[in-house]
Short mmCIF file of all heavy atoms in Angstrom, two decimals:
data_model
loop_
_atom_site.label_atom_id
_atom_site.label_comp_id
_atom_site.label_asym_id
_atom_site.label_seq_id
_atom_site.Cartn_x
_atom_site.Cartn_y
_atom_site.Cartn_z
N MET A 1003 80.83 6.30 -50.66
CA MET A 1003 79.78 6.03 -49.80
C MET A 1003 78.49 6.65 -50.31
O MET A 1003 77.45 6.01 -50.32
CB MET A 1003 80.09 6.52 -48.37
CG MET A 1003 79.05 6.15 -47.42
SD MET A 1003 79.03 4.38 -47.11
CE MET A 1003 77.95 4.27 -45.75
N VAL A 1004 78.65 7.88 -50.79
CA VAL A 1004 77.43 8.65 -51.26
C VAL A 1004 76.98 8.00 -52.57
O VAL A 1004 75.70 7.76 -52.76
CB VAL A 1004 77.81 10.09 -51.53
CG1 VAL A 1004 76.63 10.84 -52.21
CG2 VAL A 1004 78.17 10.73 -50.19
N ILE A 1005 77.86 7.56 -53.42
CA ILE A 1005 77.42 6.92 -54.73
C ILE A 1005 76.74 5.62 -54.40
O ILE A 1005 75.72 5.28 -55.05
CB ILE A 1005 78.67 6.70 -55.53
CG1 ILE A 1005 79.25 8.09 -56.00
CG2 ILE A 1005 78.32 5.90 -56.84
CD1 ILE A 1005 80.50 7.93 -56.79
N ALA A 1006 77.18 4.81 -53.37
CA ALA A 1006 76.57 3.56 -53.15
C ALA A 1006 75.15 3.83 -52.53
O ALA A 1006 74.18 3.09 -52.91
CB ALA A 1006 77.39 2.79 -52.04
N LEU A 1007 75.01 4.88 -51.73
CA LEU A 1007 73.64 5.17 -51.28
C LEU A 1007 72.72 5.66 -52.37
O LEU A 1007 71.50 5.38 -52.35
CB LEU A 1007 73.75 6.20 -50.12
CG LEU A 1007 74.12 5.54 -48.76
CD1 LEU A 1007 74.33 6.71 -47.72
CD2 LEU A 1007 73.11 4.64 -48.25
N VAL A 1008 73.25 6.41 -53.26
CA VAL A 1008 72.39 6.87 -54.33
C VAL A 1008 71.89 5.75 -55.24
O VAL A 1008 70.83 5.65 -55.69
CB VAL A 1008 73.16 7.98 -55.21
CG1 VAL A 1008 72.46 8.28 -56.49
CG2 VAL A 1008 73.32 9.25 -54.42
N VAL A 1009 72.88 4.79 -55.57
CA VAL A 1009 72.54 3.67 -56.31
C VAL A 1009 71.48 2.79 -55.59
O VAL A 1009 70.50 2.31 -56.20
CB VAL A 1009 73.75 2.88 -56.63
CG1 VAL A 1009 73.37 1.47 -57.23
CG2 VAL A 1009 74.68 3.53 -57.62
N LEU A 1010 71.66 2.58 -54.30
CA LEU A 1010 70.66 1.84 -53.44
C LEU A 1010 69.32 2.52 -53.45
O LEU A 1010 68.35 1.88 -53.54
CB LEU A 1010 71.26 1.65 -52.03
CG LEU A 1010 70.38 0.82 -51.14
CD1 LEU A 1010 70.36 -0.67 -51.64
CD2 LEU A 1010 71.03 0.80 -49.74
N LEU A 1011 69.32 3.85 -53.38
CA LEU A 1011 68.14 4.69 -53.39
C LEU A 1011 67.37 4.50 -54.73
O LEU A 1011 66.12 4.30 -54.75
CB LEU A 1011 68.40 6.11 -53.04
CG LEU A 1011 67.23 7.03 -52.88
CD1 LEU A 1011 66.48 6.65 -51.67
CD2 LEU A 1011 67.70 8.50 -52.77
N VAL A 1012 68.04 4.60 -55.82
CA VAL A 1012 67.46 4.50 -57.17
C VAL A 1012 66.87 3.08 -57.32
O VAL A 1012 65.76 2.93 -57.83
CB VAL A 1012 68.48 4.86 -58.26
CG1 VAL A 1012 67.94 4.51 -59.60
CG2 VAL A 1012 68.76 6.30 -58.16
N LEU A 1013 67.64 2.08 -56.97
CA LEU A 1013 67.16 0.65 -57.19
C LEU A 1013 65.96 0.34 -56.26
O LEU A 1013 65.05 -0.28 -56.78
CB LEU A 1013 68.31 -0.32 -56.92
CG LEU A 1013 69.47 -0.33 -57.85
CD1 LEU A 1013 70.58 -1.34 -57.44
CD2 LEU A 1013 68.93 -0.75 -59.22
N SER A 1014 65.98 0.87 -55.06
CA SER A 1014 64.83 0.63 -54.19
C SER A 1014 63.63 1.37 -54.63
O SER A 1014 62.55 0.84 -54.53
CB SER A 1014 65.20 0.95 -52.75
OG SER A 1014 65.46 2.31 -52.58
N SER A 1015 63.82 2.57 -55.17
CA SER A 1015 62.66 3.33 -55.64
C SER A 1015 62.05 2.65 -56.90
O SER A 1015 60.80 2.57 -57.00
CB SER A 1015 63.02 4.81 -55.90
OG SER A 1015 63.90 4.85 -57.00
N VAL A 1016 62.81 2.19 -57.78
CA VAL A 1016 62.37 1.51 -59.02
C VAL A 1016 61.69 0.20 -58.58
O VAL A 1016 60.62 -0.17 -59.10
CB VAL A 1016 63.42 1.28 -60.02
CG1 VAL A 1016 63.03 0.37 -61.15
CG2 VAL A 1016 63.99 2.58 -60.61
N GLY A 1017 62.24 -0.54 -57.63
CA GLY A 1017 61.66 -1.77 -57.23
C GLY A 1017 60.31 -1.55 -56.44
O GLY A 1017 59.40 -2.31 -56.59
N LEU A 1018 60.29 -0.48 -55.68
CA LEU A 1018 59.08 -0.14 -54.94
C LEU A 1018 57.91 0.31 -55.91
O LEU A 1018 56.81 -0.12 -55.71
CB LEU A 1018 59.39 1.04 -54.02
CG LEU A 1018 58.30 1.42 -52.98
CD1 LEU A 1018 58.02 0.29 -52.10
CD2 LEU A 1018 58.79 2.59 -52.11
N ILE A 1019 58.32 1.02 -56.96
CA ILE A 1019 57.27 1.38 -57.99
C ILE A 1019 56.77 0.13 -58.72
O ILE A 1019 55.52 -0.01 -58.86
CB ILE A 1019 57.79 2.33 -58.98
CG1 ILE A 1019 58.06 3.65 -58.30
CG2 ILE A 1019 56.93 2.53 -60.22
CD1 ILE A 1019 58.93 4.69 -59.10
N ALA A 1020 57.60 -0.86 -58.97
CA ALA A 1020 57.29 -2.03 -59.68
C ALA A 1020 56.35 -2.86 -58.83
O ALA A 1020 55.36 -3.40 -59.30
CB ALA A 1020 58.53 -2.80 -60.14
N THR A 1021 56.71 -3.07 -57.54
CA THR A 1021 55.93 -4.00 -56.69
C THR A 1021 54.56 -3.43 -56.42
O THR A 1021 53.55 -4.12 -56.31
CB THR A 1021 56.67 -4.31 -55.41
OG1 THR A 1021 56.94 -3.00 -54.70
CG2 THR A 1021 57.89 -5.07 -55.59
N VAL A 1022 54.49 -2.05 -56.31
CA VAL A 1022 53.14 -1.44 -56.06
C VAL A 1022 52.26 -1.63 -57.35
O VAL A 1022 51.05 -1.90 -57.26
CB VAL A 1022 53.32 0.06 -55.66
CG1 VAL A 1022 51.98 0.76 -55.75
CG2 VAL A 1022 53.90 0.15 -54.30
N LEU A 1023 52.89 -1.49 -58.52
CA LEU A 1023 52.09 -1.53 -59.76
C LEU A 1023 51.69 -2.98 -59.99
O LEU A 1023 50.67 -3.21 -60.60
CB LEU A 1023 52.92 -1.10 -60.96
CG LEU A 1023 53.06 0.48 -60.99
CD1 LEU A 1023 53.91 0.88 -62.17
CD2 LEU A 1023 51.72 1.14 -61.10
N PHE A 1024 52.40 -3.97 -59.55
CA PHE A 1024 52.04 -5.38 -59.79
C PHE A 1024 50.99 -5.90 -58.83
O PHE A 1024 50.38 -6.91 -59.10
CB PHE A 1024 53.26 -6.28 -59.68
CG PHE A 1024 54.10 -6.32 -60.90
CD1 PHE A 1024 55.51 -6.19 -60.77
CD2 PHE A 1024 53.59 -6.55 -62.18
CE1 PHE A 1024 56.32 -6.15 -61.93
CE2 PHE A 1024 54.33 -6.46 -63.27
CZ PHE A 1024 55.69 -6.34 -63.19
N GLN A 1025 50.74 -5.17 -57.77
CA GLN A 1025 49.76 -5.66 -56.83
C GLN A 1025 48.36 -5.41 -57.44
O GLN A 1025 48.07 -4.48 -58.17
CB GLN A 1025 49.90 -4.93 -55.51
CG GLN A 1025 51.05 -5.23 -54.73
CD GLN A 1025 51.17 -4.46 -53.41
OE1 GLN A 1025 50.29 -3.71 -53.03
NE2 GLN A 1025 52.27 -4.63 -52.71
N SER A 1026 47.43 -6.34 -57.02
CA SER A 1026 46.06 -6.26 -57.56
C SER A 1026 45.33 -5.13 -56.86
O SER A 1026 45.60 -4.73 -55.72
CB SER A 1026 45.34 -7.54 -57.35
OG SER A 1026 45.28 -7.86 -56.00
N GLY A 1027 44.35 -4.55 -57.55
CA GLY A 1027 43.55 -3.53 -56.98
C GLY A 1027 42.67 -3.95 -55.82
O GLY A 1027 42.14 -5.12 -55.83
N ARG A 1028 42.43 -3.12 -54.85
CA ARG A 1028 41.60 -3.51 -53.74
C ARG A 1028 40.12 -3.03 -53.85
O ARG A 1028 39.27 -3.58 -53.12
CB ARG A 1028 42.13 -2.85 -52.49
CG ARG A 1028 43.62 -3.29 -52.22
CD ARG A 1028 43.84 -3.49 -50.78
NE ARG A 1028 45.22 -3.76 -50.57
CZ ARG A 1028 45.80 -4.95 -50.49
NH1 ARG A 1028 45.05 -5.96 -50.75
NH2 ARG A 1028 47.00 -5.06 -50.23
N SER A 1029 39.85 -2.25 -54.74
CA SER A 1029 38.42 -1.75 -54.86
C SER A 1029 37.98 -1.76 -56.31
O SER A 1029 38.73 -1.44 -57.23
CB SER A 1029 38.24 -0.39 -54.24
OG SER A 1029 39.06 0.52 -55.03
N ALA A 1030 36.72 -2.16 -56.56
CA ALA A 1030 36.14 -2.07 -57.86
C ALA A 1030 34.76 -1.58 -57.65
O ALA A 1030 33.78 -2.30 -57.82
CB ALA A 1030 36.14 -3.55 -58.45
N GLY A 1031 34.64 -0.36 -57.31
CA GLY A 1031 33.35 0.28 -57.09
C GLY A 1031 32.89 0.11 -55.64
O GLY A 1031 33.68 -0.22 -54.79
N LEU A 1032 31.60 0.18 -55.44
CA LEU A 1032 31.07 0.17 -54.06
C LEU A 1032 31.18 -1.29 -53.54
O LEU A 1032 31.50 -1.50 -52.37
CB LEU A 1032 29.61 0.59 -54.09
CG LEU A 1032 28.91 0.56 -52.69
CD1 LEU A 1032 29.64 1.50 -51.77
CD2 LEU A 1032 27.45 1.05 -52.86
N SER A 1033 30.87 -2.26 -54.36
CA SER A 1033 31.01 -3.67 -53.85
C SER A 1033 32.43 -4.06 -53.59
O SER A 1033 32.71 -4.83 -52.62
CB SER A 1033 30.45 -4.68 -54.83
OG SER A 1033 31.09 -4.64 -56.12
N GLY A 1034 33.34 -3.53 -54.33
CA GLY A 1034 34.77 -3.84 -54.04
C GLY A 1034 35.19 -3.13 -52.76
O GLY A 1034 36.06 -3.68 -52.03
N ALA A 1035 34.66 -2.05 -52.45
CA ALA A 1035 35.03 -1.28 -51.20
C ALA A 1035 34.57 -2.12 -49.99
O ALA A 1035 35.18 -2.20 -48.98
CB ALA A 1035 34.49 0.06 -51.19
N ILE A 1036 33.33 -2.70 -50.15
CA ILE A 1036 32.77 -3.46 -48.98
C ILE A 1036 33.62 -4.72 -48.80
O ILE A 1036 33.98 -5.07 -47.68
CB ILE A 1036 31.29 -3.75 -49.23
CG1 ILE A 1036 30.52 -2.45 -49.20
CG2 ILE A 1036 30.76 -4.66 -48.17
CD1 ILE A 1036 29.08 -2.57 -49.60
N THR A 1037 33.73 -5.48 -49.91
CA THR A 1037 34.57 -6.71 -49.77
C THR A 1037 36.05 -6.44 -49.42
O THR A 1037 36.68 -7.25 -48.79
CB THR A 1037 34.45 -7.58 -51.03
OG1 THR A 1037 35.00 -6.89 -52.18
CG2 THR A 1037 32.98 -8.03 -51.30
N GLY A 1038 36.59 -5.40 -49.95
CA GLY A 1038 37.95 -5.02 -49.63
C GLY A 1038 38.17 -4.76 -48.16
O GLY A 1038 39.14 -5.13 -47.60
N ALA A 1039 37.21 -4.11 -47.56
CA ALA A 1039 37.25 -3.89 -46.09
C ALA A 1039 37.17 -5.19 -45.30
O ALA A 1039 37.86 -5.40 -44.37
CB ALA A 1039 36.14 -2.89 -45.66
N GLY A 1040 36.33 -6.07 -45.80
CA GLY A 1040 36.21 -7.34 -45.11
C GLY A 1040 37.47 -8.16 -45.21
O GLY A 1040 37.93 -8.91 -44.29
N GLU A 1041 38.11 -8.15 -46.34
CA GLU A 1041 39.31 -8.90 -46.57
C GLU A 1041 40.48 -8.31 -45.70
O GLU A 1041 41.31 -9.14 -45.26
CB GLU A 1041 39.71 -8.90 -48.05
CG GLU A 1041 38.79 -9.82 -48.91
CD GLU A 1041 39.22 -9.73 -50.36
OE1 GLU A 1041 40.21 -9.01 -50.71
OE2 GLU A 1041 38.49 -10.32 -51.17
N SER A 1042 40.50 -7.03 -45.60
CA SER A 1042 41.58 -6.44 -44.78
C SER A 1042 41.35 -6.76 -43.30
O SER A 1042 42.33 -6.87 -42.54
CB SER A 1042 41.67 -4.95 -44.96
OG SER A 1042 40.51 -4.34 -44.46
N VAL A 1043 40.14 -6.88 -42.86
CA VAL A 1043 39.86 -7.21 -41.47
C VAL A 1043 40.21 -8.68 -41.14
O VAL A 1043 40.84 -8.99 -40.18
CB VAL A 1043 38.38 -6.96 -41.08
CG1 VAL A 1043 38.05 -7.52 -39.76
CG2 VAL A 1043 38.08 -5.48 -41.14
N PHE A 1044 39.84 -9.56 -42.08
CA PHE A 1044 40.04 -11.01 -41.82
C PHE A 1044 41.42 -11.46 -42.35
O PHE A 1044 41.70 -12.69 -42.27
CB PHE A 1044 38.86 -11.74 -42.39
CG PHE A 1044 37.55 -11.49 -41.73
CD1 PHE A 1044 36.54 -10.84 -42.40
CD2 PHE A 1044 37.38 -11.83 -40.39
CE1 PHE A 1044 35.32 -10.56 -41.73
CE2 PHE A 1044 36.18 -11.56 -39.73
CZ PHE A 1044 35.22 -10.97 -40.38
N GLY A 1045 42.07 -10.64 -43.05
CA GLY A 1045 43.44 -11.05 -43.51
C GLY A 1045 43.36 -12.03 -44.67
O GLY A 1045 44.15 -13.00 -44.60
N LYS A 1046 42.57 -11.80 -45.64
CA LYS A 1046 42.42 -12.75 -46.78
C LYS A 1046 43.35 -12.34 -47.94
O LYS A 1046 42.89 -11.98 -49.04
CB LYS A 1046 40.99 -12.77 -47.19
CG LYS A 1046 40.61 -13.78 -48.18
CD LYS A 1046 39.16 -13.78 -48.50
CE LYS A 1046 38.81 -14.81 -49.64
NZ LYS A 1046 37.47 -14.68 -50.06
N LYS A 1047 44.66 -12.53 -47.69
CA LYS A 1047 45.58 -12.33 -48.72
C LYS A 1047 46.21 -13.65 -49.09
O LYS A 1047 46.58 -14.46 -48.27
CB LYS A 1047 46.74 -11.40 -48.36
CG LYS A 1047 46.37 -9.97 -48.24
CD LYS A 1047 47.57 -9.19 -47.87
CE LYS A 1047 47.24 -7.77 -47.71
NZ LYS A 1047 48.39 -6.97 -47.32
N LYS A 1048 46.33 -13.96 -50.36
CA LYS A 1048 46.89 -15.25 -50.76
C LYS A 1048 47.87 -15.10 -51.90
O LYS A 1048 47.76 -14.18 -52.72
CB LYS A 1048 45.76 -16.21 -51.14
CG LYS A 1048 44.89 -16.57 -49.98
CD LYS A 1048 43.97 -17.71 -50.40
CE LYS A 1048 43.14 -18.08 -49.17
NZ LYS A 1048 42.27 -19.23 -49.45
N GLY A 1049 48.79 -16.02 -52.04
CA GLY A 1049 49.66 -16.15 -53.14
C GLY A 1049 50.57 -14.99 -53.33
O GLY A 1049 51.25 -14.52 -52.50
N MET A 1050 50.47 -14.47 -54.54
CA MET A 1050 51.30 -13.42 -55.07
C MET A 1050 51.12 -12.13 -54.32
O MET A 1050 52.06 -11.36 -54.12
CB MET A 1050 51.06 -13.23 -56.57
CG MET A 1050 52.12 -12.34 -57.24
SD MET A 1050 53.79 -13.06 -57.02
CE MET A 1050 54.15 -13.63 -58.59
N ASP A 1051 49.85 -11.78 -53.94
CA ASP A 1051 49.54 -10.53 -53.16
C ASP A 1051 50.31 -10.47 -51.89
O ASP A 1051 50.81 -9.47 -51.54
CB ASP A 1051 48.11 -10.36 -52.98
CG ASP A 1051 47.33 -9.92 -54.23
OD1 ASP A 1051 47.98 -9.33 -55.07
OD2 ASP A 1051 46.15 -10.17 -54.33
N GLU A 1052 50.42 -11.62 -51.24
CA GLU A 1052 51.10 -11.66 -49.91
C GLU A 1052 52.61 -11.48 -50.11
O GLU A 1052 53.29 -10.78 -49.42
CB GLU A 1052 50.84 -12.96 -49.25
CG GLU A 1052 51.44 -13.03 -47.86
CD GLU A 1052 51.10 -14.37 -47.17
OE1 GLU A 1052 50.23 -15.06 -47.62
OE2 GLU A 1052 51.73 -14.67 -46.19
N LEU A 1053 53.14 -12.08 -51.17
CA LEU A 1053 54.54 -11.96 -51.44
C LEU A 1053 54.89 -10.51 -51.85
O LEU A 1053 55.92 -9.91 -51.45
CB LEU A 1053 54.95 -12.97 -52.56
CG LEU A 1053 56.39 -12.98 -52.93
CD1 LEU A 1053 57.30 -13.45 -51.82
CD2 LEU A 1053 56.56 -13.81 -54.20
N LEU A 1054 54.10 -9.92 -52.68
CA LEU A 1054 54.32 -8.56 -53.14
C LEU A 1054 54.22 -7.58 -52.00
O LEU A 1054 54.88 -6.59 -51.92
CB LEU A 1054 53.43 -8.19 -54.25
CG LEU A 1054 53.69 -8.81 -55.66
CD1 LEU A 1054 52.57 -8.51 -56.64
CD2 LEU A 1054 55.04 -8.30 -56.17
N ALA A 1055 53.33 -7.87 -51.08
CA ALA A 1055 53.19 -6.99 -49.88
C ALA A 1055 54.44 -7.04 -49.06
O ALA A 1055 54.86 -6.02 -48.50
CB ALA A 1055 51.97 -7.42 -49.02
N LYS A 1056 55.01 -8.25 -48.89
CA LYS A 1056 56.24 -8.33 -48.10
C LYS A 1056 57.41 -7.63 -48.88
O LYS A 1056 58.24 -6.99 -48.19
CB LYS A 1056 56.57 -9.85 -47.88
CG LYS A 1056 55.69 -10.55 -46.95
CD LYS A 1056 56.02 -11.89 -46.74
CE LYS A 1056 55.08 -12.60 -45.81
NZ LYS A 1056 55.38 -14.00 -45.69
N PHE A 1057 57.50 -7.81 -50.15
CA PHE A 1057 58.53 -7.09 -50.97
C PHE A 1057 58.34 -5.60 -50.83
O PHE A 1057 59.31 -4.85 -50.74
CB PHE A 1057 58.55 -7.47 -52.40
CG PHE A 1057 59.20 -8.81 -52.73
CD1 PHE A 1057 58.80 -9.62 -53.71
CD2 PHE A 1057 60.33 -9.18 -51.95
CE1 PHE A 1057 59.48 -10.85 -53.96
CE2 PHE A 1057 61.00 -10.29 -52.17
CZ PHE A 1057 60.51 -11.18 -53.21
N THR A 1058 57.09 -5.08 -50.86
CA THR A 1058 56.82 -3.71 -50.78
C THR A 1058 57.33 -3.13 -49.43
O THR A 1058 57.93 -2.06 -49.40
CB THR A 1058 55.37 -3.41 -51.00
OG1 THR A 1058 54.93 -3.96 -52.21
CG2 THR A 1058 55.06 -1.92 -50.95
N ALA A 1059 57.06 -3.89 -48.31
CA ALA A 1059 57.49 -3.42 -47.06
C ALA A 1059 58.98 -3.35 -46.96
O ALA A 1059 59.52 -2.48 -46.37
CB ALA A 1059 56.85 -4.32 -45.95
N ALA A 1060 59.66 -4.43 -47.47
CA ALA A 1060 61.13 -4.45 -47.41
C ALA A 1060 61.72 -3.36 -48.21
O ALA A 1060 62.61 -2.68 -47.79
CB ALA A 1060 61.57 -5.80 -47.82
N LEU A 1061 61.21 -3.07 -49.38
CA LEU A 1061 61.81 -2.08 -50.26
C LEU A 1061 61.49 -0.70 -49.70
O LEU A 1061 62.27 0.19 -49.86
CB LEU A 1061 61.21 -2.15 -51.68
CG LEU A 1061 61.78 -3.35 -52.55
CD1 LEU A 1061 60.98 -3.52 -53.80
CD2 LEU A 1061 63.24 -3.10 -52.82
N ALA A 1062 60.35 -0.50 -49.07
CA ALA A 1062 60.01 0.75 -48.48
C ALA A 1062 60.98 1.02 -47.23
O ALA A 1062 61.52 2.15 -47.10
CB ALA A 1062 58.59 0.75 -47.89
N ALA A 1063 61.39 0.01 -46.51
CA ALA A 1063 62.31 0.16 -45.43
C ALA A 1063 63.71 0.51 -45.97
O ALA A 1063 64.42 1.34 -45.45
CB ALA A 1063 62.38 -1.16 -44.61
N VAL A 1064 64.11 -0.19 -47.04
CA VAL A 1064 65.46 0.12 -47.69
C VAL A 1064 65.48 1.57 -48.23
O VAL A 1064 66.40 2.28 -48.11
CB VAL A 1064 65.76 -0.94 -48.78
CG1 VAL A 1064 66.94 -0.46 -49.59
CG2 VAL A 1064 65.96 -2.28 -48.15
N PHE A 1065 64.35 1.99 -48.84
CA PHE A 1065 64.26 3.32 -49.36
C PHE A 1065 64.34 4.35 -48.27
O PHE A 1065 65.03 5.33 -48.36
CB PHE A 1065 62.92 3.46 -50.14
CG PHE A 1065 62.75 4.76 -50.70
CD1 PHE A 1065 63.28 5.17 -51.91
CD2 PHE A 1065 61.92 5.73 -50.15
CE1 PHE A 1065 63.15 6.45 -52.48
CE2 PHE A 1065 61.76 7.00 -50.59
CZ PHE A 1065 62.38 7.37 -51.79
N LEU A 1066 63.61 4.13 -47.19
CA LEU A 1066 63.65 5.01 -46.00
C LEU A 1066 65.01 5.17 -45.41
O LEU A 1066 65.54 6.29 -45.23
CB LEU A 1066 62.61 4.60 -44.99
CG LEU A 1066 62.59 5.40 -43.71
CD1 LEU A 1066 61.95 6.79 -43.98
CD2 LEU A 1066 61.82 4.67 -42.62
N LEU A 1067 65.69 4.04 -45.19
CA LEU A 1067 66.94 4.09 -44.56
C LEU A 1067 68.07 4.68 -45.45
O LEU A 1067 68.90 5.40 -45.02
CB LEU A 1067 67.38 2.66 -44.11
CG LEU A 1067 66.58 2.08 -43.00
CD1 LEU A 1067 66.94 0.60 -42.74
CD2 LEU A 1067 66.66 2.83 -41.74
N SER A 1068 68.01 4.28 -46.76
CA SER A 1068 69.00 4.91 -47.66
C SER A 1068 68.80 6.39 -47.89
O SER A 1068 69.72 7.16 -47.95
CB SER A 1068 68.97 4.20 -49.06
OG SER A 1068 67.74 4.31 -49.68
N SER A 1069 67.51 6.81 -47.87
CA SER A 1069 67.30 8.34 -48.05
C SER A 1069 67.77 9.05 -46.75
O SER A 1069 68.25 10.17 -46.81
CB SER A 1069 65.83 8.59 -48.41
OG SER A 1069 65.00 8.16 -47.32
N LEU A 1070 67.49 8.45 -45.56
CA LEU A 1070 67.98 9.10 -44.35
C LEU A 1070 69.44 9.12 -44.26
O LEU A 1070 70.08 10.13 -43.89
CB LEU A 1070 67.38 8.34 -43.13
CG LEU A 1070 65.94 8.63 -42.80
CD1 LEU A 1070 65.49 7.70 -41.68
CD2 LEU A 1070 65.68 10.02 -42.48
N GLY A 1071 70.14 7.99 -44.70
CA GLY A 1071 71.58 7.93 -44.69
C GLY A 1071 72.18 8.95 -45.64
O GLY A 1071 73.18 9.65 -45.26
N LEU A 1072 71.56 9.10 -46.76
CA LEU A 1072 72.07 10.11 -47.77
C LEU A 1072 71.87 11.53 -47.28
O LEU A 1072 72.77 12.34 -47.43
CB LEU A 1072 71.34 9.87 -49.05
CG LEU A 1072 71.79 10.64 -50.24
CD1 LEU A 1072 73.25 10.17 -50.60
CD2 LEU A 1072 70.90 10.44 -51.46
N ALA A 1073 70.69 11.81 -46.62
CA ALA A 1073 70.56 13.09 -46.03
C ALA A 1073 71.57 13.40 -44.96
O ALA A 1073 72.01 14.58 -44.85
CB ALA A 1073 69.10 13.14 -45.52
N MET A 1074 71.85 12.45 -44.18
CA MET A 1074 72.83 12.72 -43.01
C MET A 1074 74.19 12.93 -43.66
O MET A 1074 74.97 13.74 -43.10
CB MET A 1074 72.83 11.55 -42.07
CG MET A 1074 71.59 11.58 -41.26
SD MET A 1074 71.48 10.38 -39.86
CE MET A 1074 72.61 9.18 -40.12
N LEU A 1075 74.55 12.23 -44.70
CA LEU A 1075 75.86 12.39 -45.31
C LEU A 1075 76.01 13.70 -46.05
O LEU A 1075 77.12 14.34 -46.10
CB LEU A 1075 76.18 11.24 -46.29
CG LEU A 1075 76.64 9.93 -45.59
CD1 LEU A 1075 76.78 8.86 -46.67
CD2 LEU A 1075 77.90 10.09 -44.83
N MET A 1076 74.94 14.21 -46.64
CA MET A 1076 74.97 15.46 -47.42
C MET A 1076 74.89 16.68 -46.50
O MET A 1076 75.13 17.80 -46.99
CB MET A 1076 73.79 15.49 -48.39
CG MET A 1076 73.82 14.37 -49.44
SD MET A 1076 75.37 14.35 -50.41
CE MET A 1076 75.06 15.61 -51.53
N LYS A 1077 74.61 16.53 -45.27
CA LYS A 1077 74.43 17.59 -44.32
C LYS A 1077 75.76 18.27 -44.02
O LYS A 1077 76.78 18.29 -43.94
CB LYS A 1077 73.82 17.22 -43.03
CG LYS A 1077 73.36 18.30 -42.20
CD LYS A 1077 72.58 17.83 -41.10
CE LYS A 1077 72.20 19.02 -40.21
NZ LYS A 1077 71.45 18.56 -39.06
#
């Protein structure tokens, strides 16, 4: 059980790193900060950014649950 959780933790962490790195940057100086805030308010995400955001949330949840489960088993 511990080995399965460790493998799941490693895979989710590598996947989480990859999905965060593949996402496009939200700011490009002062003008990027202003338009980035407007896009986050109005929800202007399209295509690959939206898909990567969903993958990031799912992988973060898997990472959180597997690390909590591993911590409870190691106690």
Side-chain angles (χ1 to χ4, degrees):
M1003 184 70 170
V1004 174
I1005 294 173
L1007 280 175
V1008 169
V1009 168
L1010 186 63
L1011 186 68
V1012 168
L1013 290 177
S1014 65
S1015 64
V1016 170
L1018 190 59
I1019 291 169
T1021 56
V1022 167
L1023 288 177
F1024 280 132
Q1025 289 180 5
S1026 62
R1028 301 215 186 271
S1029 65
L1032 183 58
S1033 64
I1036 294 170
T1037 58
E1041 287 178 3
S1042 67
V1043 169
F1044 296 114
K1046 188 179 176 185
K1047 286 185 182 177
K1048 292 191 178 183
M1050 192 60 107
D1051 283 337
E1052 185 178 346
L1053 181 66
L1054 286 174
K1056 289 180 182 179
F1057 279 149
T1058 302
L1061 286 170
V1064 170
F1065 180 80
L1066 176 71
L1067 292 175
S1068 61
S1069 62
L1070 284 174
L1072 189 63
M1074 289 188 340
L1075 283 176
M1076 299 301 283
K1077 189 173 182 182

